[in-house]
């Protein structure tokens, strides 16, 4: 057997250690334990580094989690011969329907197609899809899509959550191969190429190269330069009256001679920049409130870096909300505050309000939540990305870089609406050679931010996975809080097409047993439904107040009975705030020099410019 090479002195040192260890059993055990801990730590680092690298390649989607769900579905389907018979019969029926329709279409070009796209799917609206061979392509695709929907649902023994996840993945995979995505299988692309002599492909190639250059360089599209905070967006006049490591607090300048005494304090989500609620002058919620006579304060969040990796949920509550409340109390003393939270900001505001109620802090006069959740049992398709395997995977990815990059979060949101946000865009820009113009809302959506490692990990585990806030297990300080401790009136807004905070999830706040809750459901999605200024076309909403002690009303029954109103919901909310506000008094400029709070700089401040 080949002898291992030893360096001079190695054997003597080893023998010395062995002799010393054998003479002292306690030392031997301690050294063994140290070696084990060192090895375990090194193994953990290797695992984290490997998963972090892999997560960047998969955009944060856990292969293990997907494989587990896929195996569970396949196993349950294999044990369901009756379901297999149904699927076989469905496949046969689909083929007969397809060829029957093609026969009718040959005799009558206006033959009605039997396979209809799902709501919101606009890929096959053009009349050119009803001609051969495109009618065959898109009808067979829709039938295949319907078959897979049947194949991934209503399987005995498979949990509802697993069904939703497998069905979602199946839809995503099918959408890759949709005929609308192909050059020769999309009649709109073919017709455009014939009419323009292929110039659409030239423009598409130019668009692709521009996007590739921007992606690799990290630059923003040049078209976004026209939407600059302080110039074209986030332009409502005001002053930064306070700054700490995590926030700048903006107080907006009054535009009326008198104002309501109770200030309005807005907490936006820190997933994106704050100015979603202060876009252009024509659609700024902040400007609307100021023009109605409200004194408005707004949080502008810092864009965290690797150095902020250990900022947690408690830091966001304390530095983001409690510090701001203290400053507002000094500027506008002895007045109740109307708290307003949007999206994740609404969740954090609910946490802060519940903790304040628990501790006897009664500074809030009312609470308003905009597209926000406190109970995450029905958080929609976003939950498909938030399971134990997925959270562990994301945590490893954030562990290496110290934060979650905005582009990584944006990818998950895009998958929720992949038809509109991914595939239709690729077809339009790269095959049709068209560029969609930007507006202020799209510019804001591209102004991405980061989230600290610790905060996002806590948010996903405590709120999404464990649902601690709704269950009374969420800890603030050394004691848990419960949302039912809140006693002030609540105004909650949900949006009909919300994929981030589904309105039925936002509606859960109406089950609050100890206060009146006014719930309003408005048209639009998570962002556009909130940015719904008066005069915005095609807007409507429903609103109804559920009083403390009223019997529970399920969301579908509520929707049937709540009166529908046309137009923007903003005036409805302003009237609600005004009813809960005192007599108006003379307006004053931002800050309060009497207590040493001089304005630091003009709005929109400095944090909004952090890349």
């Amino acid at each position: 057997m080949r002898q291992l090479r030893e360096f001079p002195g190695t054997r003597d040192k080893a023998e010395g250690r062995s002799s010393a260890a054998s003479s002292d059993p306690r030392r031997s055990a301690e050294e063994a334990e140290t070696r084990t801990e060192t090895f375990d730590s090194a193994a953990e680092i290797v695992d984290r580094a490997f998963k972090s690298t892999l997560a960047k390649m998969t955009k944060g989607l856990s292969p293990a989690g997907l494989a587990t769900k896929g195996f569970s579905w396949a196993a349950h389907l294999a044990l369901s011969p009756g379901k297999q018979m149904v699927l076989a019969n469905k496949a046969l029926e689909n083929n007969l329907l397809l060829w029957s329709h093609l026969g009718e279409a040959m005799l009558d070009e206006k033959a009605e197609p039997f396979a209809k796209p799902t709501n919101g799917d606009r890929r096959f609206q053009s009349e050119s899809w009803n001609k051969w061979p495109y009618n065959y392509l898109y009808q067979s695709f829709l039938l295949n899509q319907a078959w897979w929907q049947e194949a991934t649902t209503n399987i005995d023994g498979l949990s509802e959550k697993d069904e939703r996840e497998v069905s979602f993945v199946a839809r995503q995979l099918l959408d890759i191969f949709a005929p609308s995505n192909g050059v020769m299988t999309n009649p709109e692309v073919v017709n455009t190429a014939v009419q323009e002599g292929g110039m659409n492909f030239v423009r598409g190639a130019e668009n692709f190269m521009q996007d590739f250059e921007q992606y690799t360089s990290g630059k923003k599209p040049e078209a976004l330069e026209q939407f600059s905070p302080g110039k074209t967006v986030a332009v409502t006049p005001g002053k930064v009256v306070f700054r700490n490591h995590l926030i700048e607090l903006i107080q907006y300048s009054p535009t009326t001679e008198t104002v309501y005494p109770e200030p309005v304090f807005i907490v936006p989500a820190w997933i994106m920049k704050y100015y979603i609620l202060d876009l252009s002058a024509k659609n700024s919620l902040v400007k609307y409130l100021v023009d109605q006579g409200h004194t408005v304060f707004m949080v502008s969040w810092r864009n965290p870096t690797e150095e902020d990796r250990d900022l947690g949920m408690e830091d966001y509550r304390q530095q983001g909300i409690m510090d701001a409340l203290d400053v507002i109390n000094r500027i506008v003393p002895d007045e109740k505050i109307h708290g307003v939270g949007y999206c994740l900001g609404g969740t954090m505001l609910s946490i802060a309000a519940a903790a304040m109620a628990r501790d006897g802090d009664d500074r809030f006069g009312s609470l308003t939540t905009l597209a926000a959740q406190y109970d995450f049992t029905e958080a929609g398709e976003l939950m498909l990305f938030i399971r134990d395997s997925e959270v562990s995977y994301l945590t490893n990815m954030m562990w290496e870089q110290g934060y979650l990059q905005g582009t990584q979060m944006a990818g998950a949101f895009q998958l929720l609406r992949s038809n509109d946000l991914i595939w239709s865009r690729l077809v339009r820009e790269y095959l049709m050679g068209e560029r969609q113009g930007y507006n202020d809302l799209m510019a804001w959506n591209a102004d991405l931010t980061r989230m600290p490692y610790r905060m996002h990990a806590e948010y996903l585990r405590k709120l999404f996975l464990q649902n601690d806030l709704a269950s009374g297990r969420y800890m603030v300080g050394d004691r848990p809080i419960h949302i039912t401790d809140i006693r002030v009136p609540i105004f909650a807004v949900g949006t009909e097409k919300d994929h981030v905070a589904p309105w039925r999830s936002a509606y859960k706040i109406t089950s609050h047993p100890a206060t009146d809750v006014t719930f309003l459901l408005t048209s639009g999605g998570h962002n556009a439904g909130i940015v719904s200024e008066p005069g915005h076309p095609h807007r409507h909403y429903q609103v109804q107040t559920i009083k403390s002690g009223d019997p529970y009303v399920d969301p579908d029954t509520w929707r049937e009975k709540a009166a529908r109103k046309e137009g923007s919901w903003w005036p409805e909310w302003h009237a609600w705030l005004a009813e809960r506000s005192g007599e108006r008094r003379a307006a004053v400029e931002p800050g309060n020099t009497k207590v040493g709070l001089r304005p630091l700089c003009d709005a929109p401040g400095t944090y909004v410019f952090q890349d």
Side-chain angles (χ1 to χ4, degrees):
M1 186 174 181
R2 188 175 65 178
Q3 296 294 322
L4 295 175
R5 181 182 177 184
E6 294 181 339
F7 290 96
T10 302
R11 182 183 297 276
D12 295 338
K13 292 178 182 177
E15 289 175 352
R17 285 196 302 269
S18 177
S19 176
S22 62
S23 62
D24 189 349
R26 288 178 299 176
R27 180 179 176 184
S28 176
E30 290 173 358
E31 289 182 350
E33 184 177 352
T34 299
R35 286 194 300 271
T36 300
E37 290 177 353
T38 302
F39 183 82
D40 289 346
S41 178
E44 181 181 358
I45 291 174
V46 170
D47 284 348
R48 282 182 175 271
F50 173 77
K51 292 178 181 178
S52 175
T53 302
L54 188 61
K56 293 175 182 177
M57 299 169 58
T58 63
K59 299 298 182 183
L61 293 177
S62 170
L66 293 176
T68 300
K69 302 302 179 185
F71 178 79
S72 178
W73 164 75
H76 283 88
L77 182 59
L79 296 174
S80 303
K83 180 68 172 182
Q84 296 174 34
M85 292 172 60
V86 169
L87 293 176
N89 184 63
K90 184 74 172 178
L92 179 60
E93 285 182 355
N94 286 349
N95 274 290
L96 292 175
L97 284 172
L98 177 62
W99 290 108
S100 174
H101 170 68
L102 292 177
E104 292 179 8
M106 292 177 64
L107 299 175
D108 181 5
E109 292 184 357
K110 297 183 180 180
E112 187 71 18
F114 52 87
K116 303 288 186 180
T118 56
N119 291 335
D121 187 350
R122 299 187 294 269
R123 290 175 293 182
F124 310 110
Q125 286 185 331
S126 172
E127 285 295 324
S128 55
W129 282 103
N130 293 323
K131 298 178 181 179
W132 173 265
Y134 306 111
N135 55 354
Y136 168 77
L137 293 174
Y138 100 89
Q139 286 284 287
S140 60
F141 171 78
L142 292 179
L143 287 172
N144 196 27
Q145 191 177 57
W147 187 90
W148 275 102
Q149 176 66 18
E150 178 70 26
T152 54
T153 56
N154 299 318
I155 298 176
D156 184 42
L158 190 64
S159 71
E160 183 179 349
K161 187 174 187 297
D162 285 354
E163 280 190 2
R164 290 199 306 269
E165 293 181 7
V166 174
S167 179
F168 176 81
V169 172
R171 290 200 308 273
Q172 300 305 314
L173 293 175
L174 284 173
D175 282 342
I176 296 174
F177 303 102
S180 55
N181 297 338
V183 174
M184 299 304 296
T185 56
N186 187 328
E188 297 175 77
V189 174
V190 172
N191 293 338
T192 301
V194 171
Q195 294 170 6
E196 299 186 7
M199 290 304 297
N200 55 311
F201 298 129
V202 175
R203 295 194 305 273
E206 292 175 349
N207 292 341
F208 175 80
M209 292 306 299
Q210 289 176 3
D211 291 346
F212 181 77
E213 180 182 358
Q214 290 166 0
Y215 177 80
T216 54
S217 65
K219 297 179 181 178
K220 296 180 181 178
E222 293 182 2
L224 295 182
E225 294 180 359
Q226 61 181 306
F227 299 101
S228 177
K231 295 181 180 179
T232 50
V233 293
V235 294
T236 303
K239 303 287 184 180
V240 173
V241 294
F242 172 74
R243 179 187 296 124
N244 62 21
H245 180 74
L246 198 54
I247 70 165
E248 288 182 329
L249 182 64
I250 301 170
Q251 181 182 359
Y252 291 93
S253 301
T255 59
T256 56
E257 293 184 0
T258 61
V259 295
Y260 295 100
E262 297 84 358
V264 175
F265 171 47
I266 303 178
V267 184
W270 52 85
I271 292 178
M272 304 290 287
K273 298 291 179 67
Y274 83 90
Y275 62 89
I276 175 64
L277 301 178
D278 184 27
L279 286 172
S280 306
K282 63 180 176 62
N283 58 4
S284 168
L285 179 59
V286 168
K287 185 178 186 305
Y288 174 80
L289 289 172
V290 171
D291 288 345
Q292 306 310 307
H294 295 282
T295 299
V296 179
F297 292 83
M298 170 89 85
V299 166
S300 174
W301 297 99
R302 177 188 183 88
N303 196 2
T305 64
E306 185 178 358
E307 296 176 354
D308 301 312
R309 63 181 299 126
D310 292 324
L311 288 175
M313 290 285 287
E314 179 60 16
D315 295 300
Y316 275 76
R317 184 190 72 88
Q318 186 61 57
Q319 296 184 42
I321 295 182
M322 304 312 296
D323 286 0
L325 287 175
D326 291 342
V327 172
I328 295 172
N329 284 146
R330 293 171 63 193
I331 294 176
V332 189
D334 304 321
E335 295 294 346
K336 297 290 186 180
I337 298 170
H338 294 304
V340 183
Y342 172 55
C343 185
L344 181 53
T347 303
M348 181 56 73
L349 186 70
S350 300
I351 291 172
M356 291 166 66
R358 179 199 67 184
D359 299 335
D361 186 338
D362 62 351
R363 284 180 285 178
F364 280 128
S366 74
L367 288 180
T368 297
T369 59
L370 309 177
Q373 304 170 90
Y374 86 96
D375 185 327
F376 292 83
T377 52
E378 295 182 75
E381 288 188 328
L382 190 60
M383 289 298 293
L384 304 179
F385 300 94
I386 304 173
R387 48 182 177 259
D388 288 311
S389 176
E390 203 65 54
V391 171
S392 176
Y393 202 58
L394 281 173
T395 301
N396 285 314
M397 182 171 63
M398 293 186 293
W399 166 81
E400 182 183 40
Q401 57 194 24
Y403 52 79
L404 183 68
Q405 188 64 265
T407 54
Q408 294 161 339
M409 176 62 75
F413 291 137
Q414 287 177 339
L415 281 176
L416 297 180
R417 297 175 56 200
S418 60
N419 283 346
D420 291 334
L421 300 181
I422 298 179
W423 301 115
S424 293
R425 174 181 171 270
L426 294 180
V427 170
R428 181 179 63 252
E429 297 194 355
Y430 300 154
L431 300 185
M432 302 291 286
E434 302 172 357
R435 273 294 197 200
Q436 184 175 2
Y438 283 94
N439 57 32
D440 50 10
L441 185 58
M442 295 170 65
W444 166 83
N445 199 46
D447 197 359
L448 302 174
T449 58
R450 296 174 289 272
M451 286 180 285
Y453 160 75
R454 180 181 173 188
M455 183 284 301
H456 198 52
E458 290 177 348
Y459 171 66
L460 293 178
R461 289 197 181 279
K462 292 182 179 180
L463 297 181
F464 271 92
L465 282 182
Q466 298 167 191
N467 206 24
D468 284 354
L469 182 57
S471 304
R473 296 190 302 265
Y474 191 92
M475 302 293 291
V476 174
D478 58 354
R479 290 187 296 155
I481 61 171
H482 203 290
I483 206 78
T484 56
D485 285 339
I486 299 172
R487 294 294 186 269
V488 298
I490 296 173
F491 192 100
V493 178
T495 62
E496 291 178 344
K497 299 179 180 179
D498 201 328
H499 295 270
V500 179
W503 77 266
R504 288 178 175 81
S505 183
Y507 178 84
K508 289 179 179 293
I509 191 66
T510 63
S511 61
H512 195 303
T515 191
D516 297 348
V517 180
T518 299
F519 187 77
L520 185 146
L521 178 63
T522 182
S523 54
H526 185 71
N527 298 322
I530 300 302
V531 183
S532 182
E533 71 282 0
H536 195 295
H538 312 300
R539 287 294 191 224
H540 62 265
Y541 64 92
Q542 295 172 267
V543 62
Q544 193 173 56
T545 297
I546 298 176
K547 294 187 175 297
S548 173
D550 283 354
Y552 172 72
V553 179
D554 66 272
D556 293 320
T557 300
W558 178 93
R559 193 174 191 180
E560 289 178 5
K561 294 184 177 181
R564 173 175 165 140
K565 300 182 180 181
E566 299 299 322
S568 167
W569 61 269
W570 291 5
E572 185 86 29
W573 179 45
H574 159 63
W576 186 88
L577 288 174
E579 287 178 8
R580 289 154 182 81
S581 300
E583 190 173 333
R584 293 171 69 145
R585 63 190 183 192
V588 295
E589 292 302 311
N592 189 339
T593 57
K594 295 180 180 179
V595 296
L597 287 173
R598 296 179 180 277
L600 303 178
C601 64
D602 291 333
T606 60
Y607 284 178
V608 73
F609 296 104
Q610 293 175 331
D611 290 327

